[in-house]
Amino acid sequence: MYQGRSEVLRPAPDDVRPPRSDDVNLAAVERGISAACGTLLVLSGLRRRSLPMLIGGSALIYRGATGVCPVYRAIESQAGGPLSDGLQVEEAITVNKPPETVYALWRRLENLPRFMSHIESVTVTVGNQSHWVAKLPAPLRLEWDAEIVDDQENKKLSWQSLPGSRIDHSGTVLFHFVPSRNSTEVKVILTFKPPAGSVGASIARLLNFLTKTQIRSDLRAFKAVAETGEKPTTIGQPSGRWPKRIGKRRRDPASAARQDLISHSSSSSSEATQWKAQ
Amino acid sequence: MRAVCWNGKKDVRVETVPDPEIINPRDAIVKTELTAICGSDLHLYNGNIPTMKAGDILGHEFLGEVVEVGRGVSNLQIGDRVIVPFPIACGNCYYCAHELFSFCDNSNPNGGLTETFYGQPAGGLFGYSHLLGGYAGGQAEYVRVPFADVGPVKIPQDISAEKTLFLTDIFPTGYQAAEYCGIRPGDTVAVWGCGPVGQFAIRSAYLLGAERVIGIDRIPERLELARQSSAAIPLNYENVPIAEELREITGGRGPDACIDAVGLEAHGFGLTGWYDTAKQKLWLETDRPTALRQAIYACSKGGTVSIPGVYGGGFVDKFPIGAAFAKGLTLRMGQTHVQKYAKRLLSMIEADEIDPSFVITHRLSLEEAPWGYEVFNNKEEECIKVVLKC
């Protein structure tokens, strides 16, 4: 995984050397078992003239002999590599809105939890500084303070955790106007690094969760909200799956309309404020 | 409410489930008046589409009355009678803004999955697997309609539901297929598959100026319907060699455009976990894109092959790229941008230029849906199109 497509998901630059594809990643016992099973498979493959068995067996023998398992390697790097390295994720998406709008949505950092699934809340404290809380299952907890270090209107936004934080986190968002589509390319670069020698449970958990796939999905959510004003979902819709909440019945249309007006007036204000650009 | 739920291969049941509610501001709830079983629902019925879950509500062709609207929907009123296009489209993304509604960037909450399979996220559809959104479908008494300010088209109360229901899918699908052919006056168009979409492709090709349209199938009643109601030239591929026959009919040139309204038993291409299973299935299915191969082979030089038939995400074996290249064919395909066509086609219905109800053979109640699926799937009782009354 460290060759080719995963370039985007790699340890932060000044970390220890990333694992290479020929690094041994199997323990001696597993190598032995692998080689033995492989030999058995090849032998019975020869007897039954089965090509798949021969191929599978050979792969196991190779794995045992070299101590290198590409599957494990792939799994490791999907999880962001060895945890102590921290990680850097880059992702990009095109939003069908001009840079002014897209920049404004990011610049208001309180908006981030609405689409960044690893962030519980961001609160602007004073000036360019803000307080961040990661979304982790209880009792894990991870908070830090950050400040905006580079702010170029409609072009670039960078933040960095303050010295002394439990996690070294930085984020950069670049906004690039695409005139032919009247759209904005948004490129996000996030780095997360635990301070040397201290991989706490919360940090490990957060880094495990932050895969390229997850950030991509978050950006898709950002795009949806920026373009449509809402996040498409099917959560809460009916199905025939257990447990069925049978008994819920439609109100008659007239009373539904009245109820609707009431519930909307109360909920709309909170949602609107959440999504206002600065 | 009562809803048609998928419970596994060839196992659909009408069950009591909770009523849908408004979830997002741009949602509306529609009380179904009439719904239908689509040929593509049979792919689900036969277990050929991945990412279905037991309990999923089926259906994507439905018409009914708006009973509730979210605060973001201002163009619909409670009591409006609407048809709802089967692709869900946000109206805001680049593709929606360019009338390519079925390519919507935002309507599929599981867009990431489709991005893995197709390189780009696919839009969401009603009742058509979790890969394509996981939305509860229209074979139910009530349906939640997301982005209701974009999709639904109001239908006058005095037009029958049967005339307008197919604006949701099969009529625009046949029409788009014919439009993709770039028909010029005097052209000959050949249509593989005389199921409901094929019937509308034949009719639309005539409406768009084709001189002759040839319908190809093996089922006598479908060929007969194409001949009777749309004046197609019927060809039964079990009785005649199609390529030779087409060459003969067209003075040796081949049809100017060919439409594949058959598709593949759409095979989804699975998650990495069951990559092998999918591959295995595909190997079993290498003979399925027969219609597409024939269409490419028969088409005239410089002609167009238009594909409304569903190809799910699998790979096609022995694709005749050599013939397509040698003849410089244009291939057009994709899910239908229903929102683009619905209003135009509605005015054609209002002007009595077409009555889409001619394809209906079975009128059942929602409760009879399982039987409808069985009959339609087995092509029993000369079944061509099943509608379900709620």
Side-chain angles (χ1 to χ4, degrees):
Chain A
M1 279 300 280
Y2 274 95
Q3 331 84 313
R5 80 165 256 262
S6 77
E7 262 154 30
V8 198
L9 179 65
R10 58 176 181 253
D14 56 345
D15 273 314
V16 286
R17 165 184 90 83
R20 295 189 354 222
S21 60
D22 53 353
D23 276 354
V24 171
N25 62 351
L26 289 178
V29 179
E30 188 167 349
R31 287 176 69 171
I33 295 173
S34 190
C37 292
T39 313
L40 278 174
L41 209 55
V42 166
L43 287 175
S44 55
L46 281 172
R47 205 174 310 127
R48 296 187 200 176
R49 291 162 202 266
S50 156
L51 189 61
M53 283 172 94
L54 281 174
I55 294 172
S58 314
L60 281 177
I61 293 175
Y62 171 84
R63 188 172 172 269
T66 58
V68 177
C69 176
V71 177
Y72 283 7
R73 173 86 60 238
I75 294 169
E76 272 167 24
S77 63
Q78 257 302 313
L83 286 177
S84 55
D85 290 352
L87 61 90
Q88 173 170 340
V89 187
E90 280 184 37
E91 266 299 337
I93 201 151
T94 303
V95 179
N96 193 27
K97 291 276 177 189
E100 301 78 56
T101 314
V102 183
Y103 164 84
L105 288 171
W106 276 93
R107 181 63 185 79
R108 195 176 151 87
L109 296 173
E110 288 95 330
N111 283 335
L112 263 58
R114 183 86 189 271
F115 56 89
M116 284 300 199
S117 47
H118 64 285
I119 300 293
E120 178 72 46
S121 70
V122 181
T123 324
V124 173
T125 44
V126 53
N128 273 340
Q129 297 194 359
S130 46
H131 184 70
W132 298 53
V133 180
K135 191 180 273 177
L136 291 171
L140 300 178
R141 197 158 174 84
L142 183 60
E143 303 178 32
W144 65 89
D145 288 309
E147 85 177 320
I148 292 176
V149 290
D150 192 358
D151 186 1
Q152 300 169 32
E153 206 176 338
N154 308 333
K155 288 201 167 61
K156 184 181 181 188
L157 182 68
S158 286
W159 61 87
Q160 168 73 52
S161 56
L162 291 177
S165 298
R166 270 186 70 206
I167 188 161
D168 183 359
H169 164 58
S170 71
T172 295
V173 189
L174 300 165
F175 306 91
H176 175 66
F177 182 52
V178 191
S180 62
R181 290 204 164 203
N182 195 26
S183 300
T184 307
E185 284 172 8
V186 181
K187 184 175 183 182
V188 178
I189 306 154
L190 298 177
T191 66
F192 290 86
K193 220 164 72 170
S198 70
V199 185
S202 348
I203 296 172
R205 174 89 196 199
L206 181 72
L207 296 186
N208 255 331
F209 175 72
L210 276 166
T211 57
K212 183 177 160 60
T213 316
Q214 185 56 53
I215 300 294
R216 174 127 202 92
S217 149
D218 290 351
L219 277 188
R220 204 175 285 110
F222 168 73
K223 172 185 162 73
V225 182
E227 289 181 351
T228 74
E230 62 185 47
K231 200 167 144 184
T233 183
T234 54
I235 296 168
Q237 73 173 12
S239 81
R241 275 183 287 282
W242 193 258
K244 298 176 200 169
R245 296 171 302 139
I246 296 176
K248 225 164 189 349
R249 287 289 149 92
R250 291 220 65 73
R251 297 153 280 170
D252 72 280
S255 80
R258 281 193 302 276
Q259 282 235 349
D260 213 38
L261 283 173
I262 301 160
S263 64
H264 287 158
S265 54
S266 57
S267 66
S268 64
S269 54
S270 65
E271 195 148 342
T273 44
Q274 251 192 336
W275 258 106
K276 235 174 238 142
Q278 208 190 18
Chain B
M1 66 166 181
R2 300 289 282 167
V4 180
C5 295
W6 185 93
N7 282 286
K9 194 175 173 179
K10 298 205 166 124
D11 182 5
V12 299
R13 296 175 217 160
V14 183
E15 296 179 35
T16 301
V17 302
D19 288 359
E21 291 169 26
I22 300 272
I23 298 172
N24 273 337
R26 293 169 66 185
D27 290 356
I29 306 290
V30 168
K31 182 180 191 295
T32 309
E33 178 185 336
L34 193 66
T35 177
I37 304 174
C38 180
S40 62
D41 287 331
L42 298 178
H43 299 316
L44 306 174
Y45 184 70
N46 290 320
N48 285 320
I49 303 275
T51 70
M52 286 296 289
K53 290 184 195 164
D56 284 347
I57 300 173
L58 293 169
H60 56 264
E61 300 179 350
F62 60 103
L63 170 155
E65 180 194 341
V66 176
V67 292
E68 195 177 347
V69 292
R71 66 172 187 281
V73 182
S74 51
N75 59 325
L76 294 179
Q77 304 287 323
I78 287 167
D80 281 346
R81 191 177 187 225
V82 292
I83 61 103
V84 181
F86 78 91
I88 302 172
C90 76
N92 306 110
C93 68
Y94 175 83
Y95 299 98
C96 287
H98 289 77
E99 292 198 314
L100 301 165
F101 295 97
S102 72
F103 301 161
C104 179
D105 264 342
N106 295 315
S107 61
N108 184 352
N110 306 324
L113 272 178
T114 47
E115 196 172 48
T116 314
F117 301 143
Y118 304 140
Q120 289 291 319
L125 312 182
F126 286 100
Y128 214 79
S129 85
H130 290 261
L131 191 61
L132 298 176
Y135 288 100
Q139 288 162 16
E141 288 181 284
Y142 294 93
V143 191
R144 168 190 166 228
V145 179
F147 300 121
D149 52 330
V150 177
V153 174
K154 289 183 210 172
I155 301 295
Q157 300 287 353
D158 57 354
I159 301 189
S160 81
E162 288 188 357
K163 274 188 178 178
T164 48
L165 174 63
F166 303 137
L167 288 171
T168 56
D169 180 351
I170 52 174
F171 181 18
T173 297
Y175 190 87
Q176 176 180 282
E179 200 183 68
Y180 277 178
C181 291
I183 297 167
R184 289 158 303 181
D187 274 1
T188 300
V189 178
V191 179
W192 274 256
C194 296
V197 169
Q199 301 286 344
F200 284 111
I202 291 168
R203 186 66 74 84
S204 303
Y206 275 123
L207 286 168
L208 289 166
E211 187 175 299
R212 280 180 307 185
V213 184
I214 300 153
I216 302 161
D217 209 302
R218 69 183 165 87
I219 297 167
E221 62 266 21
R222 296 190 173 196
L223 288 167
E224 183 55 23
L225 181 68
R227 191 189 66 77
Q228 256 189 10
S229 36
S230 306
I233 302 167
L235 285 187
N236 188 326
Y237 66 82
E238 286 185 335
N239 303 337
V240 293
I242 289 300
E244 276 174 43
E245 194 69 21
L246 287 174
R247 203 178 291 138
E248 207 164 294
I249 294 175
T250 56
R253 301 187 307 277
D256 302 286
C258 294
I259 295 175
D260 168 8
V262 177
L264 186 85
E265 273 277 24
H267 271 99
F269 190 56
L271 303 161
T272 1
W274 41 272
Y275 167 82
D276 282 320
T277 323
K279 203 160 132 186
Q280 207 176 22
K281 273 190 181 167
L282 288 165
W283 280 354
L284 287 170
E285 298 288 341
T286 43
D287 285 330
R288 298 308 278 273
T290 319
L292 181 57
R293 287 194 205 115
Q294 283 183 359
I296 289 172
Y297 185 72
C299 197
S300 74
K301 289 189 273 190
T304 300
V305 174
S306 166
I307 315 173
V310 171
Y311 287 83
F315 297 93
V316 157
D317 215 15
K318 300 185 181 66
F319 183 80
I321 187 69
F325 180 85
K327 296 189 283 184
L329 300 185
T330 302
L331 302 184
R332 300 292 309 268
M333 63 195 90
Q335 295 280 15
T336 311
H337 308 300
V338 175
Q339 287 86 339
K340 176 181 171 186
Y341 297 100
K343 282 184 186 143
R344 198 193 312 170
L345 300 185
L346 173 62
S347 55
M348 286 167 66
I349 297 170
E350 286 177 307
D352 268 334
E353 287 170 49
I354 182 170
D355 175 0
S357 65
F358 75 95
V359 295
I360 302 175
T361 51
H362 286 64
R363 295 169 171 86
L364 308 178
S365 73
L366 189 70
E367 297 296 324
E368 294 171 296
W371 186 61
Y373 270 89
E374 199 183 319
V375 169
F376 189 19
N377 192 48
N378 300 336
K379 300 184 175 69
E380 290 161 358
E381 301 182 358
E382 308 198 342
C383 179
I384 293 174
K385 186 72 184 176
V386 182
V387 294
L388 307 167
K389 188 126 185 72
C390 278

